Amino acid sequence: MPLLELKDVSLDYGPIRAVDRASISVEPGEVVAIIGGNGAGKSTLLKGVSGLLTPSEGSILFDGQDISRLPPHQRVARGIAMSPEGRQVFPDQTVHDNLVLGAYARGLSDKALTAAIDEQFDLFPRLRERRDQPAVTLSGGEQQMLAMARALMASPRLLLLDEPSLGLAPLIVRDIFQIIRSLRERQITILLVEQMATMALKAAHRAYVLETGRITLTGTGAELLNDPKVRAAYLGVAHDAA
Amino acid sequence: MSATYLQALLSGLSVGGIYALIALSFSITFTTTKTLNFSQGEFVSFGAFVGLSVLLLLSGTFDFNAVPADASAGLKFPAAVVTAGVLVGVVGIFIFLLAVRPFAGKPGMSWVMSTIGFGIILQSLGLVVWGPAVVNVPAPFGEGVIRIFGAGVRSQELVVLVSAIVIMLVFDQIMRRSLLGKAMRAVAFSPQVASLMGINVTLVMVGAFVMSGVLAGFAGVMVAPISTASLFMGLGFSLKAFAGAIIGGLNNPRGCIFGGFMLGVIESFVGLWHSEWREISVFVLIILVLAVRPDGLFGARTVDKV
Ligand SMILES: Nc1ncnc2c1ncn2[C@@H]1O[C@H](COP(=O)(O)OP(=O)(O)OP(=O)(O)O)[C@@H](O)[C@H]1O
Ligand SMILES: [Mg+2]
């Protein structure tokens, strides 16, 4: 049974339909990427999964149960955590306190909380050095790491990553994808949204292409990397060069 | 001569402490829900009368025209303070559910009318129960004047000052150290991102309105022995407190506290010179501050690095 299943899900902003009858599934332990251009509806789709938007049609199943109408905090309690687009770390709170908030739903003892934070510091050593700095003083790459670490603090069964590479220098992007690969090795289930299609397809088991709100193509990461249409549209490679 | 100034300073700090408490109560709900509770003044009056009622009941009477001189003695005053804090805190739940939640975060400013309306209802109910009288409330430590370096201060002024400082220190620590405080700051930044942490945002907002109500109710009882109690007393205090919050920065609790104290002291010193200039000076000050710093002295983008 898939861990996450979207069945013909439509998501609207008032009269504007941003996602139109999308169906996707994510198996336990899988890394699934969603690629697509600006305004394709990628972030909207993730908002539907995390509960920031309620679908106007279709259903979202998590572990076989319909969570379409649950508010975000109850979805976190069930094991869905998100690193949102643009990082959205709590700017006036320290790195440490951001991580504490990430584990809000778990009700950990002080000892367990310290251990969980240490675990994140092992994965993101640069955050350890910045432990007591307000998040606003971090660089963009560090903020992205904090956003991911904060989501991992929930010990999620499904991790949603919205454009972790956004606005970062190529070297930092490589670091971020290195971490995504290490999460993949640890069997963490990830739904990843990216414009950096090559990187995302290489990191993912499977992927979907989203175009103006509709899923138009799906396949394994390798299949899509070699698909002429994908190469032309998203990988910056012309048809004849393929 | 300097005793006069010291006296003005202490009285200013004392009433400033009240302004600071109410300013903080504005700030807590503003940061978490981005709405202003325009019935905060009625909350203050309501708190004073709940407290007064407790004092009278514990003294075995309910006659507002003949408040016994020892009505605030012993544990009666603390009992009045606690009851007022709790009841006004509960009123905070109601205003959130009935007048704020339906409109918060939506386009438009319906919450302006709905919170004003809630205040009018609260005041009308108060008038039915307690009437329009202005009541002298005895101070728990009596009306005697205490001498500090020659300056004469009323006992209640010191009680107000000390308790306001203690409450604000406790509040500050809660906001910085407790998980609830961190969650409230997270909601203040963005309710949506906070909800992604698993925070029940509605519950945090209810909590903010409860805290805000407790502070307003507390301020009402504490100030009543200094100012006398009436159902109309809250408006003046809340306007000044709001001014203090604007000066300090509505979205910065520490700034609001500073603004409240500052306003009290300035008012008190201007009063030494020409009392009719008090109100004018306060509002000239606000305009000046806002002209230079539209978000208040410590507002908006000043990041707190403590
Ligand atoms: N809050 C909103 N209100 C109204 N329309 C919105 C809102 N957010 C997004 N949209 C619209 O919905 C569509 C999909 O937006 P979405 O943010 O999901 O795209 P995206 O694929 O994440 O794009 P990007 O790669 O630029 O982040 C766009 O047309 C966008 O203009
Ligand atoms: Mg997006």
Side-chain angles (χ1 to χ4, degrees):
Chain A
M1 183 175 64
L3 181 61
L4 176 74
E5 195 172 9
L6 272 64
K7 291 182 175 165
D8 293 315
V9 168
S10 296
L11 295 155
D12 300 331
Y13 295 103
I16 304 162
R17 173 141 300 187
V19 169
D20 190 18
R21 284 164 291 158
S23 296
I24 69 165
S25 68
V26 181
E27 299 291 330
E30 238 186 350
V31 174
V32 172
I34 295 176
I35 60 171
N38 279 115
K42 305 181 297 296
S43 297
T44 307
L45 191 76
L46 283 197
K47 283 187 203 164
V49 177
S50 62
L52 293 178
L53 271 181
T54 306
S56 34
E57 281 178 50
S59 52
I60 302 175
L61 306 181
F62 186 66
D63 233 359
Q65 286 179 319
D66 192 337
I67 58 163
S68 319
R69 316 257 138 219
L70 290 185
H73 70 271
Q74 289 184 16
R75 301 195 196 190
V76 177
R78 292 194 180 208
I80 300 177
M82 173 148 108
S83 160
E85 182 170 32
R87 318 190 247 279
Q88 306 281 345
V89 291
F90 300 113
D92 60 332
Q93 305 205 50
T94 63
V95 167
H96 173 266
D97 288 356
N98 268 273
L99 295 176
V100 169
L101 282 164
Y104 185 90
R106 291 171 73 192
L108 297 178
S109 67
D110 284 355
K111 210 172 137 197
L113 187 61
T114 309
I117 290 173
D118 254 342
E119 209 178 302
Q120 294 313 315
F121 284 158
D122 290 341
L123 191 59
F124 303 93
R126 288 166 65 173
L127 294 181
R128 178 175 272 130
E129 297 157 30
R130 312 248 179 279
R131 183 183 185 278
D132 297 315
Q133 276 176 232
V136 71
T137 64
L138 301 186
S139 72
E142 288 162 353
Q143 288 190 14
Q144 183 57 52
M145 291 176 193
L146 179 57
M148 288 168 67
R150 185 180 64 178
L152 286 167
M153 283 295 293
S155 187
R157 301 173 60 205
L158 173 66
L159 176 65
L160 308 174
L161 299 177
D162 194 346
E163 297 218 37
S165 74
L166 190 74
L168 301 182
L171 270 176
I172 311 287
V173 173
R174 224 191 297 156
D175 287 352
I176 298 277
F177 273 94
Q178 187 58 49
I179 287 161
I180 293 173
R181 272 190 293 276
S182 80
L183 294 175
R184 172 178 159 154
E185 274 157 32
R186 285 164 47 185
Q187 310 272 307
I188 294 179
T189 313
I190 299 176
L191 183 57
L192 165 71
V193 154
E194 259 301 339
Q195 285 206 41
M196 291 271 183
T198 314
M199 296 276 228
L201 292 176
K202 281 184 184 158
H205 294 101
R206 284 190 307 116
Y208 295 88
V209 176
L210 192 62
E211 275 178 272
T212 54
R214 298 210 173 136
I215 303 279
T216 52
L217 204 60
T218 178
T220 65
E223 280 165 5
L224 292 190
L225 270 173
N226 292 313
D227 186 283
K229 272 183 294 179
V230 173
R231 290 172 73 90
Y234 302 109
L235 306 182
V237 187
H239 274 288
D240 48 3
Chain B
M1 193 63 215
S2 64
T4 317
Y5 289 129
L6 182 61
Q7 184 163 336
L9 178 68
L10 288 172
S11 314
L13 283 175
S14 169
V15 70
I18 294 295
Y19 295 159
L21 286 172
I22 304 171
L24 198 53
S25 72
F26 272 112
S27 170
I28 296 170
T29 52
F30 176 74
T31 50
T32 43
T33 64
K34 304 290 178 269
T35 64
L36 291 167
N37 176 4
F38 282 102
S39 60
Q40 209 75 41
E42 281 73 30
F43 279 35
V44 173
S45 311
F46 190 69
F49 273 80
V50 168
L52 180 57
S53 304
V54 171
L55 294 179
L56 288 176
L57 288 176
L58 290 178
S59 307
T61 161
F62 204 72
D63 183 356
F64 285 84
N65 297 313
V67 181
D70 66 347
S72 299
L75 287 175
K76 285 188 257 181
F77 199 78
V81 168
V82 171
T83 312
V86 169
L87 277 189
V88 182
V90 171
V91 175
I93 301 179
F94 282 101
I95 193 169
F96 174 72
L97 292 178
L98 300 175
V100 177
R101 186 165 131 97
F103 312 113
K106 309 240 165 74
M109 302 238 280
S110 315
W111 48 266
V112 174
M113 253 346 279
S114 63
T115 59
I116 291 176
F118 191 93
I120 292 172
I121 293 172
L122 199 61
Q123 188 173 64
S124 308
L125 289 177
L127 286 170
V128 170
V129 178
W130 292 299
V134 176
V135 185
N136 283 311
V137 181
F141 294 104
E143 306 303 326
V145 168
I146 297 162
R147 294 262 154 217
I148 300 175
F149 299 116
V153 189
R154 292 162 72 184
S155 64
Q156 187 63 10
E157 290 182 318
L158 289 181
V159 171
V160 163
L161 180 55
V162 171
S163 58
I165 290 173
V166 168
I167 286 207
M168 287 182 281
L169 286 177
V170 169
F171 174 80
D172 198 64
Q173 287 306 304
I174 290 177
M175 288 308 277
R176 257 144 233 284
R177 303 212 188 278
S178 76
L179 187 58
L180 173 68
K182 289 171 188 149
M184 284 181 69
R185 293 170 73 189
V187 172
F189 170 67
S190 158
Q192 296 198 327
V193 180
S195 73
L196 293 177
M197 303 298 112
I199 294 168
N200 183 340
V201 173
T202 306
L203 213 57
V204 169
M205 289 179 174
V206 169
F209 270 86
V210 170
M211 282 166 102
S212 173
V214 169
L215 288 176
F218 176 83
V221 196
M222 292 305 280
V223 80
I226 299 176
S227 69
T228 69
S230 92
L231 280 172
F232 308 100
M233 69 190 274
L235 183 64
F237 282 112
S238 67
L239 271 180
K240 298 281 178 54
F242 186 60
I246 296 285
I247 290 176
L250 199 47
N251 53 17
N252 181 333
R254 286 182 172 181
C256 286
I257 292 170
F258 179 86
F261 275 116
M262 189 172 103
L263 214 70
V265 171
I266 289 177
E267 223 185 36
S268 177
F269 275 93
V270 174
L272 277 184
W273 166 56
H274 263 318
S275 56
E276 63 272 25
W277 279 85
R278 262 174 25 183
E279 318 292 311
I280 298 173
S281 65
V282 166
F283 290 99
V284 166
L285 177 75
I286 295 174
I287 292 167
L288 284 180
V289 167
L290 293 185
V292 184
R293 299 197 54 117
D295 293 308
L297 293 175
F298 308 100
R301 265 146 245 115
T302 14
V303 173
D304 222 338
K305 291 190 182 173
V306 179

